[in-house]
Amino acid sequence: MMPSASVEIAFRDVRVLAGTRLLLSIAQLQLTQRRISVIGPNGGGKSTLLQLVNGLVEPTEGYVSVDGQDTVDHGRAVRQQAGFVFSNPAAQLVMPTPLEDVELSLRRTLRETSQRRSAAMRSLDELGIAELAERSSQELSSGQQQLVALATVLALKPSVLLLDEPTTLLDLVNAQRFTQQVEKLAQLHGIMTITATHDLDLAAQAERTLLIHDGEVVADGDPEAVITTYRRRSAV
Ligand SMILES: Nc1ncnc2c1ncn2[C@@H]1O[C@H](COP(=O)(O)OP(=O)(O)OP(=O)(O)O)[C@@H](O)[C@H]1O
Ligand SMILES: [Mg+2]
């Protein structure tokens, strides 16, 4: 049986402004489903929504909370609970090797070097990339780099994974491999995933889909229905 995510993400009276320009406005939103996808046109506000969930973006007005913890007041705790994977893995890998990058992400949670090393190896192993541990991160393929980026986030045992167009730079095989690994580990550990994507097949695999347009949630619910709405609105 699929374990349900035990996390609740709540938006209340949220507005994000850049100067006087309104980037996102969400009066009420509660997210509890285990698999959520976020779709919509470029510049609509998908990335902003994802970044609000782990406090990378702070609401100008209103509140966002993860399991009752405000993302501004408890930013560090929230970021440990909600991990972020960007579409460009190279930007997330800063150390010479995958092993060192995963160790780096564990620096606050595991103080002892040997513990950190073994936890980092376990995290790489769980994703089937233990053999990449000491390779040069720069020389890995995008698909391999994206799995390493995922390992750095999963090592912290998050309860929410925020995936911002995680497969955009990957070929079909690597995109599917990445998605399957996320799905497998999310199920195994009961992790909620929120995926912003332009890949509507990927979006359709969720339990709930949000359509974001011009900074507002314009459709929300069953993935097929929301995707149909998006297609209809986008028809030229
Ligand atoms: N740091 C920022 N400062 C000012 N405006 C920003 C900033 N980041 C994003 N924006 C603006 O916020 C709006 C929403 O952008 P966002 O990146 O969330 O859209 P998106 O739906 O993720 O688009 P895409 O599909 O292209 O990734 C856009 O108008 C964008 O120009
Ligand atoms: Mg985006």
Side-chain angles (χ1 to χ4, degrees), residues 6-21:
S6 49
V7 189
E8 184 188 64
I9 294 165
F11 286 65
R12 189 153 49 89
D13 301 327
V14 171
R15 278 155 56 93
V16 180
L17 293 136
T20 54
R21 205 154 52 88

Side-chain angles (χ1 to χ4, degrees), residues 42-43 45-48 164-165 196 198:
N42 291 134
K46 300 179 297 297
S47 297
T48 305
D164 195 358
E165 301 187 36
H198 294 289

